[in-house]
Amino acid sequence: MSTIPRDKLPESTLALFRDGYEFIGKRCKRLGSDVFQTRLMLQKTVCMRGPEAAQVFYDQRYFQRKGGAPLRLRKTLFGQGGVQGMDGEAHRHRKAMFMSLMSSESIARLVRLMSDEWRAALPGWAEKGRVVLLDAARDILCRAVCAWTGVPLKESEVRKRTQDFAAMIEDSGAIGPRHWKGRLSRKRAEGWIGGVIEAVRAGRLNPPEGSALRTVAFHRELDGELLKTRIAAVELINVLRPTVAVARFITFAALALYEYPDWRRRLARQKDRELELFVQEVRRFYPFFPFVAARVSKPFDWQGYHFPEGARALLDLYGTDHDPRAWDDPETFRPERFLTWDGSPFNFISQGGGDHYENHRCPGEWITIELMKEAVRLLVMSMDYIVPQQDLTVSMTRMPTMPQSGFVIADVRPRE
Ligand code: HEM
């Protein structure tokens, strides 16, 4: 058994910030291996990429999530005590709570709410002249997801709440003052949503049966107890925050419509199958979350290498979605590739891999796909707009990234 190849630097944190999404891929290429070890933020870390690595990373005999994610991410992006850091039976039980919200009828209701908000916003966009699509889509999604979950949202609050949800993601990978801004946003949101959970439990608020608010407020743990208020808030925010974040993928979809006008024309012919191919390719092609983290729970050997107990492991999501062994010509935007995709749970992992119920794979994947499809329908069929001169560069070192300008559209005209 050999030891895992080592990155040449004793500590790679600066290199991670320099190489961004390409940090793991570049080193795997250089070392000729799907796995290498390094030190990140002073911790021994094993980096992995590719479908085979993803398969072993999601094997619960060898990896656990407890203690996997760095504290700075738990303080901003995830919150503490939520489903992301759980393992085994307790994780499956908590995950089932999220999965119970994902029926196709329920998702269709969320899509309708988003669509109605979008149509209602169109006249305002027409009047404004210029609209930053990323911000506008976040606003729409915040309104829609609050209505869908049953969380009351006053008009005067929309802006602040939307900004807080955005900051938890935006600032999660940052250091210094931006990191602290992300932490403050989380604190504010947990306070707000904690109050809403308590109002439901005290009978002052009566959200509909099956709504996320009601489900989380009355969810019982394996020991029969209700979730602590703060943890219930973390879990409801685990629905609200990422739904607002779908705005990023919607922005990338708008960028793709602009960069690949043939696809815009094809999609105008209203073929639902093509819409699905397009949206899947947007999720594969454009960068969102770079990695996921876990910890080796039991020493094991894989591909001739020994994985030591306790090591932190990072799985390269972006690099796996761009792995030339799984994807022909991966740096080309080509939605048709999804006509022949094998449906593997380990090669297309923008939202995690494995099984939605058993593993940590994102429970919001179908929500994301359906919201993106509706947004593309709206962009192609319900409005005209121009894309003025702007900086559309997508930085590969800012994580998570987006087009620099946030994608400005102008001269918006709603279609009848
Ligand atoms: C987990 C990405 C949308 C709720 C994850 C993971 C990723 C991800 C990478 C981690 C997978 C892992 O740890 O193995 C995304 C992206 C989205 C998105 C890029 C697009 C905006 C959503 C939506 C929801 C959601 C719409 C909720 C309705 C969650 C939850 C988890 C999760 C609760 C934790 C699951 C667990 O630990 O078992 N997501 N997600 N996400 N996502 Fe999403």
Side-chain angles (χ1 to χ4, degrees):
M1 211 48 52
S2 31
T3 48
I4 299 172
R6 220 177 272 275
D7 188 19
K8 61 181 188 301
L9 294 174
E11 164 68 41
S12 297
T13 307
L14 280 177
L16 171 65
F17 286 109
R18 205 178 46 236
D19 286 335
Y21 288 91
E22 286 155 339
F23 172 77
I24 295 182
K26 266 190 180 173
R27 284 158 184 77
C28 283
K29 215 185 224 170
R30 191 188 304 146
L31 295 163
S33 166
D34 272 351
V35 41
F36 66 90
Q37 53 178 316
T38 185
R39 280 174 76 82
L40 283 175
M41 290 170 203
L42 306 176
Q43 281 213 28
K44 187 181 216 175
T45 306
V46 179
C47 299
M48 312 163 71
R49 78 145 187 186
E52 289 177 20
Q55 188 158 6
V56 72
F57 181 89
Y58 281 99
D59 189 329
Q60 297 173 36
R61 286 174 299 172
Y62 307 131
F63 289 94
Q64 67 178 41
R65 294 307 176 97
K66 187 162 184 277
L71 186 66
R72 53 190 314 104
L73 281 192
R74 281 181 270 146
K75 291 273 189 190
T76 51
L77 185 61
F78 303 148
Q80 289 171 287
V83 65
Q84 291 95 337
M86 299 174 82
D87 293 293
E89 195 48 37
H91 170 258
R92 265 193 297 282
H93 182 70
R94 188 76 68 81
K95 190 66 175 284
M97 173 184 82
F98 287 95
M99 298 312 291
S100 76
L101 306 171
M102 302 301 163
S103 70
S104 48
E105 303 80 60
S106 174
I107 294 176
R109 206 168 69 77
L110 173 60
V111 171
R112 271 197 307 280
L113 286 164
M114 181 198 74
S115 192
D116 291 349
E117 290 290 350
W118 191 300
R119 286 170 207 280
L122 275 176
W125 295 359
E127 232 165 76
K128 255 172 118 178
R130 288 166 75 89
V131 175
V132 177
L133 188 65
L134 178 67
D135 297 339
R138 278 177 175 153
D139 179 291
I140 284 170
L141 286 163
C142 185
R143 292 167 191 270
V145 74
C146 285
W148 183 67
T149 49
V151 171
L153 181 71
K154 291 196 217 89
E155 184 57 37
S156 58
E157 286 180 303
V158 177
R159 199 184 150 88
K160 187 167 96 208
R161 301 305 185 198
T162 307
Q163 279 172 352
D164 280 344
F165 290 135
M168 282 180 228
I169 294 186
E170 198 71 34
D171 301 334
S172 61
I175 37 178
R178 260 185 55 213
H179 170 73
W180 288 96
K181 187 169 138 270
R183 276 170 96 137
L184 189 65
S185 292
R186 165 155 294 281
K187 224 172 154 195
R188 235 184 341 243
E190 284 183 10
W192 168 44
I193 296 298
V196 176
I197 298 276
E198 276 169 5
V200 175
R201 288 179 177 167
R204 281 179 275 122
L205 198 62
N206 195 14
E209 205 56 53
S211 63
L213 174 53
R214 185 170 208 92
T215 304
V216 174
F218 294 121
H219 172 78
R220 293 199 178 262
E221 288 287 75
L222 287 169
D223 61 7
E225 295 293 316
L226 291 174
L227 293 170
K228 289 199 182 78
T229 306
R230 196 191 56 74
I231 295 188
V234 164
E235 298 299 34
L236 193 54
I237 292 170
N238 265 336
V239 175
L240 299 165
R241 177 202 68 245
T243 305
V244 174
V246 174
R248 256 170 210 281
F249 268 152
I250 290 176
T251 303
F252 280 127
L255 178 64
L257 288 172
Y258 175 67
E259 290 184 331
Y260 308 99
D262 277 359
W263 269 93
R264 192 181 181 96
R265 280 187 286 278
R266 279 174 82 161
L267 293 170
R269 286 182 231 125
Q270 298 198 33
K271 295 236 174 67
D272 220 53
R273 179 78 187 120
E274 302 226 309
L275 196 54
E276 174 108 10
L277 304 178
F278 180 80
V279 160
Q280 293 291 60
E281 181 67 342
V282 169
R283 292 197 312 130
R284 183 198 71 84
F285 184 74
Y286 292 100
F288 200 134
F289 287 119
F291 326 115
V292 278
R295 223 171 250 287
V296 178
S297 54
K298 192 170 100 185
F300 68 99
D301 300 326
W302 179 72
Q303 289 198 351
Y305 296 129
H306 183 69
F307 284 65
E309 182 172 351
R312 172 170 283 158
L314 284 188
L315 174 68
D316 187 355
L317 302 179
Y318 178 79
T320 303
D321 284 356
H322 287 251
D323 186 334
R325 293 164 303 179
W327 304 99
D328 239 12
D329 206 2
E331 303 313 325
T332 303
F333 184 86
R334 193 154 54 76
E336 297 91 334
R337 68 172 79 246
F338 279 95
L339 282 171
T340 52
W341 174 49
D342 63 2
S344 155
F346 300 113
N347 61 17
F348 178 31
I349 56 170
S350 333
Q351 294 185 227
D355 181 74
H356 291 95
Y357 291 84
E358 291 292 318
N359 300 113
H360 284 267
R361 187 179 191 124
C362 177
E365 211 165 357
W366 304 303
I367 285 188
T368 306
I369 293 170
E370 293 308 318
L371 288 175
M372 287 173 73
K373 280 161 69 176
E374 183 63 10
V376 171
R377 274 189 210 106
L378 288 158
L379 285 166
V380 171
M381 253 108 69
S382 300
M383 56 196 278
D384 293 295
Y385 56 90
I386 58 164
V387 180
Q389 196 72 28
Q390 60 192 289
D391 185 356
L392 289 173
T393 322
V394 177
S395 157
M396 292 303 279
T397 55
R398 180 177 182 151
M399 297 180 285
T401 191
M402 62 185 155
Q404 192 62 34
S405 60
F407 203 81
V408 177
I409 55 174
D411 204 2
V412 175
R413 283 144 292 142
R415 281 197 210 147
E416 289 313 312

